Amino acid sequence: MEQLKSNKKVPFLPQDIPFNDDQRQWLGGFLAGLHTRLLVKEEHVTTTSTTSPQVKPLTIIYGSQTGNAESVAEEAADIARNHGLTPQVQDMDDVDLHQLCKAERLLVVTSTYGEGEMPDNAQALWDCISADDAPRFDNTFFSVLALGDTNYDDFCLAGIQWDERLAALGGTRIANRVDCDVAYESAAHEWIAEALPTIAQKGSRGDIEVMPANAPSANKKAKPKYTRDNPFEAQLLKKYTLNNPSSGKETCHYELSLLDSGESYDAGDAINLLPTNRPELVDELISLLGARKEQHEQYDGHTQELQKIFTEDLEIRIPSKEFITEVAARSGDQEFIAKLEESTQALNDFVWGLDSIDLLKRYAPNSFTASDFIRLAKPLAPRAYSISSSIKHHPNEVHLTIASVRYEQAGRVHNGVCSTFLADLCESGSKIKCYFAPNKHFSVPQDPTSPIIMIGPGTGIAPFRGFLEERLSTQATGENWLFFGARTKANDFLYQQELEDMQQQGLLTRLDLAFSRDQQEKIYVQDKMQEQGALLFEWLERGAYIYVCGDAFRMAKDVDKALHQIIEKQGNLSPDQTQEYIANLKKQKRYVRDVY
């Protein structure tokens, strides 16, 4: 970081400090944030004693699929006020590019969706700024924070593209882009601590408004009491399997108590669960590393028992990219090593389905110590799940609909970390650490008369069960149409009785079902959409909201393609007009997706 005008430099950590990368990153962010707050206090004292306050506008825009980028943007705005800045946070869907290019100070926070794509709310603005006739940003100082997941291809690509495009259009980068992995909080704090004091010293001062004020803070929800670092321990009240025993799948319904938490949520929000690793997996890994469960190792600034570290702190099933790379290097396997030089997709295909134990057994037996593994592993990340209830319908409760991940690979049974933690290790009365993740755009319309169309095959049904309960509890009069799909009706019709009762009561206006294996030719929800294309378009013309939840890589793309075809055909529109129609739906938050 550059030296600030107070001539006090941001504190730095010595290279030989005995902390791992995560500890260094957290401590660096903490010290930088503390330092900048002290600078602001010093500057405030100096300024108020000599001059009148001056407005220094800061524009913060976010592209968010699940709400994380929005949360970071709001946090940056809160801290920006301590630096004498006047922040304005805007959803990228609400940004006018020709106003944005006039911003002197700009922070961009964006996640990456799917296979390197822009989040839904960022696509339209990105199309504008990436066009050949995009305006220049010669007078703009900017910095970008990118959120992503290193287990996916094109890690943080959306943020990378924004960073490069703003620089290409003449913007001045005041702090290097930070690319965050799933555990993004510490890296985001460090970026905020660096970017804000620097950008506060740039640009002009004065009463300048570069973006139309929309007072976003008026509707901003209060910060949740519980977080990843301070989770709530919810008691498991009930769990049961939704599939019939002869089904090839196991999907479970869970009910957690929020009693005494003071927490609430909106239908459409998600909840983050903090699981523990399976005991047998911990024991097997410790044995492979030639270690003992009671031996002590350094992690997170503390000396702890290895069993505790592997059970509660580290991602031991899913190998990190750093671990995979090191295994390849130590293996001497030329094919494996060659994959490192090809592409991320080639490497992912090569190790597909293998966990850390598979890799150690096959490629690097007796090559790693426990401290080696700790150094290369990622923190055990929380798992986010769409909430499948309305708190108005189930006071002090939150319900979840989760498919248990189980498969055989390399001669071993593999189990999903969180799904089977819940299914196998938790019973009624168990305490589960959790905290909420608001998803404000994926919610029922404020107008109770608006019709809604919900497309949610498999566990994608989860938020729509919550939507229907919300509409029932608020006595909303708008029509409700659900498309649901699964393998077979006899074995996999999740919440069948509830949905049929809702349909009989008139709450569920239409229920279209697609059971792919109940006939010779497979039928999916997108096929049912095509069958009802004329009616679906008529609903959209009447102002219907359309929601999609479920698999991002196949289902969501197939549904999006079907929606384009329906609108083009039924509206007698050209491809360009269809794109504009759908872009307007997204801008109005009438076409929103919660996909994973």
Side-chain angles (χ1 to χ4, degrees), residues 221-241:
K221 291 179 66 174
K223 286 187 177 181
K225 177 180 177 182
Y226 297 99
T227 64
R228 177 176 179 171
D229 294 330
N230 178 39
F232 173 67
E233 292 191 351
Q235 182 178 2
L236 178 60
L237 299 173
K238 185 188 297 186
K239 72 173 182 178
Y240 54 86
T241 303

Side-chain angles (χ1 to χ4, degrees), residues 295-592:
Q295 80 181 50
H296 285 71
E297 295 287 345
Q298 280 280 333
Y299 180 72
D300 197 26
H302 303 283
T303 301
Q304 306 174 63
E305 283 194 356
L306 190 59
Q307 184 177 36
K308 188 268 182 189
I309 296 172
F310 282 2
T311 300
E312 300 177 14
D313 300 326
L314 290 181
E315 193 79 64
I316 67 170
R317 195 186 88 80
I318 302 173
S320 68
K321 288 288 180 64
E322 293 79 7
F323 179 70
I324 293 172
T325 300
E326 188 66 22
V327 170
R330 297 188 189 190
S331 70
D333 186 294
Q334 295 306 308
E335 183 182 8
F336 194 174
I337 293 171
K339 296 299 179 184
L340 298 176
E341 305 299 325
E342 291 185 29
S343 64
T344 302
Q345 185 60 53
L347 180 62
N348 287 347
D349 291 343
F350 187 76
V351 300
W352 185 87
L354 301 179
D355 66 7
S356 298
I357 288 175
D358 293 328
L359 291 172
L360 285 171
K361 282 184 172 180
R362 182 179 299 186
Y363 295 105
N366 306 315
S367 296
F368 285 79
T369 65
S371 59
D372 288 337
F373 187 88
I374 291 170
R375 175 174 54 86
L376 295 166
K378 290 166 48 171
L380 183 58
R383 268 55 175 178
Y385 294 101
S386 300
I387 294 171
S388 55
S389 58
S390 163
I391 201 167
K392 295 182 179 68
H393 197 68
H394 303 280
N396 289 317
E397 290 183 10
V398 57
H399 296 183
L400 303 173
T401 308
I402 301 174
S404 303
V405 176
R406 308 180 194 273
Y407 64 92
E408 290 190 17
Q409 176 84 353
R412 295 175 55 241
V413 175
H414 294 68
N415 298 283
V417 177
C418 193
S419 63
T420 62
F421 160 75
L422 292 168
D424 300 343
L425 303 180
C426 296
E427 300 296 339
S428 294
S430 296
K431 294 297 183 68
I432 299 169
K433 294 180 179 180
C434 60
Y435 61 98
F436 288 104
N439 191 3
K440 75 174 186 180
H441 293 313
F442 200 85
S443 59
V444 295
Q446 291 186 350
D447 182 353
T449 66
S450 296
I452 62 174
I453 302 168
M454 301 163 283
I455 303 166
T459 55
I461 186 68
F464 303 136
R465 179 178 183 263
F467 278 21
L468 290 166
E469 291 181 346
E470 183 83 2
R471 301 272 268 190
L472 176 63
S473 297
T474 58
Q475 299 182 335
T477 57
E479 297 170 287
N480 306 299
W481 184 355
L482 174 65
F483 289 88
F484 174 75
R487 290 182 177 179
T488 68
K489 182 175 183 178
N491 296 318
D492 306 303
F493 191 172
L494 308 183
Y495 300 112
Q496 178 178 0
Q497 191 61 57
E498 288 186 25
L499 294 175
E500 289 178 346
D501 288 347
M502 289 176 179
Q503 188 176 27
Q504 186 174 6
Q505 295 162 6
L507 175 67
L508 192 50
T509 312
R510 286 193 60 93
L511 177 60
D512 281 76
L513 304 169
F515 296 106
S516 61
R517 301 188 182 183
D518 276 352
Q519 59 285 312
Q520 186 172 0
E521 183 180 355
K522 291 184 178 180
I523 297 175
Y524 299 104
V525 287
Q526 60 268 23
D527 301 313
K528 290 294 183 178
M529 290 171 61
Q530 295 279 18
E531 286 180 13
Q532 301 296 331
L535 183 59
L536 194 151
F537 183 71
E538 189 266 323
W539 275 49
L540 289 177
E541 288 289 275
R542 288 196 289 111
Y545 288 65
I546 185 166
Y547 304 87
V548 182
C549 182
D551 171 54
F553 295 99
R554 292 186 181 177
M555 183 277 297
K557 292 180 179 179
D558 291 339
V559 165
D560 187 69
K561 181 179 178 181
L563 184 62
H564 277 74
Q565 292 171 345
I566 290 168
I567 291 171
E568 182 174 338
K569 177 182 177 181
Q570 301 299 329
N572 193 25
L573 304 176
S574 68
D576 287 344
Q577 289 172 323
T578 301
Q579 290 283 15
E580 184 178 356
Y581 188 104
I582 289 180
N584 284 332
L585 288 178
K586 290 180 178 179
K587 194 172 185 66
Q588 297 165 25
K589 303 297 184 288
R590 288 177 50 213
Y591 176 28
V592 290

Side-chain angles (χ1 to χ4, degrees), residues 10-188:
V10 175
F12 68 93
L13 299 177
Q15 292 298 318
D16 58 352
I17 193 169
F19 294 159
N20 63 31
D21 289 343
D22 289 329
Q23 296 160 2
R24 288 172 56 84
Q25 185 180 70
W26 182 91
L27 186 56
F30 173 78
L31 291 175
L34 180 62
H35 175 75
T36 53
R37 285 178 183 273
L38 291 173
L39 286 180
V40 170
K41 185 175 180 181
E42 175 186 294
E43 180 182 351
H44 175 72
V45 171
T46 303
T47 300
T48 53
S49 63
T50 58
T51 62
S52 59
Q54 293 177 302
V55 175
K56 294 186 287 184
L58 170 67
T59 299
I60 306 174
I61 63 174
Y62 65 86
S64 187
Q65 196 71 32
T66 62
N68 288 338
E70 180 181 4
S71 297
V72 174
E74 294 287 1
E75 181 177 359
D78 289 343
I79 298 174
R81 295 180 180 93
N82 297 333
H83 293 266
L85 293 163
T86 305
Q88 183 175 15
V89 177
Q90 284 203 308
D91 182 319
M92 286 189 183
D93 253 342
D94 299 329
V95 174
D96 182 319
L97 182 61
H98 293 282
Q99 289 293 323
L100 184 68
C101 68
K102 300 174 185 177
E104 287 190 293
R105 304 173 189 86
L106 173 64
L107 297 182
V108 178
V109 185
T110 184
S111 61
T112 297
Y113 155 71
E115 298 174 354
E117 300 168 29
M118 292 287 162
D120 284 346
N121 76 313
Q123 189 61 56
L125 183 62
W126 174 250
D127 289 342
C128 292
I129 200 171
S130 57
D132 292 339
D133 61 351
R136 300 282 298 175
F137 281 73
D138 294 319
N139 297 318
T140 299
F141 297 96
F142 76 92
S143 185
V144 175
L145 180 75
L147 305 183
D149 184 342
T150 52
N151 288 313
Y152 288 90
D153 289 343
D154 298 319
F155 171 60
C156 286
L157 181 60
I160 293 169
Q161 290 177 327
W162 268 97
D163 187 50
E164 293 177 347
R165 185 57 176 161
L166 286 169
L169 292 173
T172 301
R173 187 183 295 108
I174 55 90
N176 289 334
R177 184 189 72 251
V178 172
D179 297 336
C180 301
D181 204 349
V182 174
Y184 64 88
E185 291 89 350
S186 294

